[in-house]
Amino acid sequence: MENCSECAATSSKNGGWKFYKAVPTTQRLLCSKNHSCKNGGTCVANPCDKENGFDCICKENFSGKFCQNVTGHFSSCKSLLQIGRDLPNGNYNILHKNGAKSTLMYCQMTSLEGCAGGGWTMAMKIDGSETTFDYNSTYWTDRTGYLTIHGRFGFDNVETKMPSYWSASFKEICIGMKVGNDLRFLMIPYAGESLRDLIAEDKFLATNVGREKLKSLIANSSLQSTCHKEGFNMYDPDTKHVIARIGI
């Protein structure tokens, strides 16, 4: 069996891969049973590593002893989740649509009750007691962020509007409602090039979620029996009575 000095003298690197000669059987078994390489990293035995006995060969955009660090920029949290299944909820660099810039923003990588699958990209947080995002606010139609640093803090109570609002395409939308400390989520199956594109034209777009599911966002809520119309840009075209940008 080689000692570490012999191994170190004969080891080499080639294109990121490490090669070792005469790897002991015990080390090969250790690597085959090891589950410490994260995010699709490949375990290779390293008899020179007395602490672990293996190395992790990381995929592109990942680094670290266990491939635990994210080094790249991604089009969405969902695309990041597809190649980094072990990543925790947290902040990651998400590209704008043109790919020229990126913004550090919160990604919900795990499933939420009501919004399965994970990989949700933060777009907005709205405080209903404030007027920042009233129906006629220009924030719904422009491409200007609002307190974007607070897009890194998950589901706190501080309003924000992130570049993902106008630059991230989607197939589903996860909306949340927080009353006191009760936070609930609901997924709306609706595809678009961006959330801004759905809202900026100020035209009603119907959804088909159902009144009972929408009511479930608030505990013990109720609706008039005649309330069934739901979707984006909710208003009465005759009276121009404004209701909500998303709702029923």
Side-chain angles (χ1 to χ4, degrees), residues 38-90:
K38 306 296 184 182
N39 302 307
T42 301
C43 178
V44 293
N46 178 2
C48 293
D49 188 333
K50 293 183 178 180
E51 180 178 356
N52 299 295
F54 65 89
D55 281 330
C56 292
I57 306 303
C58 302
K59 288 185 175 181
E60 185 179 3
N61 297 317
F62 295 95
S63 66
K65 174 64 180 177
F66 307 107
C67 305
Q68 74 277 16
N69 300 322
V70 180
T71 58
H73 299 72
F74 300 86
S75 60
S76 68
C77 300
K78 182 70 75 174
S79 65
L80 174 56
L81 181 65
Q82 290 172 349
I83 60 173
R85 302 297 302 184
D86 300 307
L87 292 173
N89 302 327

Side-chain angles (χ1 to χ4, degrees), residues 135 203-211 214 223-238 241 243-244 246-248:
Y135 190 93
K203 295 180 180 179
F204 172 70
L205 299 171
T207 57
N208 190 31
V209 177
R211 54 181 279 130
L214 287 166
L223 278 173
Q224 293 176 317
S225 60
T226 55
C227 291
H228 294 281
K229 184 178 180 179
E230 62 172 86
F232 299 92
N233 304 318
M234 292 287 297
Y235 65 97
D236 188 316
D238 297 321
H241 177 64
I243 302 177
I246 305 175
I248 185 169

Side-chain angles (χ1 to χ4, degrees), residues 21-237:
K21 71 175 186 178
V23 177
T25 301
T26 54
Q27 297 289 358
R28 290 199 300 270
L29 291 173
L30 176 63
C31 191
S32 67
K33 294 180 180 179
N34 168 62
H35 298 289
S36 295
C37 294
K38 306 296 184 182
N39 302 307
T42 301
C43 178
V44 293
N46 178 2
C48 293
D49 188 333
K50 293 183 178 180
E51 180 178 356
N52 299 295
F54 65 89
D55 281 330
C56 292
I57 306 303
C58 302
K59 288 185 175 181
E60 185 179 3
N61 297 317
F62 295 95
S63 66
K65 174 64 180 177
F66 307 107
C67 305
Q68 74 277 16
N69 300 322
V70 180
T71 58
H73 299 72
F74 300 86
S75 60
S76 68
C77 300
K78 182 70 75 174
S79 65
L80 174 56
L81 181 65
Q82 290 172 349
I83 60 173
R85 302 297 302 184
D86 300 307
L87 292 173
N89 302 327
N91 296 311
Y92 300 94
N93 283 303
I94 304 301
L95 290 165
H96 300 192
K97 184 173 290 186
N98 59 14
K101 296 175 61 178
S102 66
T103 299
L104 192 66
M105 64 181 73
Y106 180 79
C107 290
Q108 178 68 33
M109 304 304 279
T110 57
S111 292
L112 296 164
E113 185 174 354
C115 292
W120 299 102
T121 306
M122 176 71 71
M124 303 179 79
K125 290 183 290 185
I126 299 172
D127 185 341
S129 66
E130 302 292 340
T131 60
T132 312
F133 295 100
D134 280 355
Y135 190 93
N136 292 316
S137 169
T138 57
Y139 282 120
W140 292 108
T141 56
D142 65 21
R143 292 179 172 84
T144 302
Y146 180 78
L147 297 180
T148 56
I149 192 172
H150 290 285
R152 306 177 187 178
F153 302 144
F155 307 119
D156 64 8
N157 297 325
V158 182
E159 293 186 310
T160 187
K161 174 189 168 188
M162 303 300 292
S164 50
Y165 173 77
W166 66 84
S167 68
S169 59
F170 56 87
K171 295 181 180 179
E172 300 161 327
I173 300 171
C174 178
I175 60 173
M177 186 76 73
K178 189 175 185 180
V179 179
N181 293 320
D182 186 19
L183 178 59
R184 302 184 179 204
F185 296 93
L186 177 66
M187 185 177 69
I188 299 178
Y190 205 103
E193 287 301 309
S194 74
L195 192 53
R196 178 196 173 276
D197 285 354
L198 297 185
I199 291 176
E201 291 189 10
D202 206 24
K203 295 180 180 179
F204 172 70
L205 299 171
T207 57
N208 190 31
V209 177
R211 54 181 279 130
E212 293 305 315
K213 286 187 177 180
L214 287 166
K215 283 171 57 180
S216 71
L217 283 169
I218 302 176
N220 303 315
S221 61
S222 62
L223 278 173
Q224 293 176 317
S225 60
T226 55
C227 291
H228 294 281
K229 184 178 180 179
E230 62 172 86
F232 299 92
N233 304 318
M234 292 287 297
Y235 65 97
D236 188 316

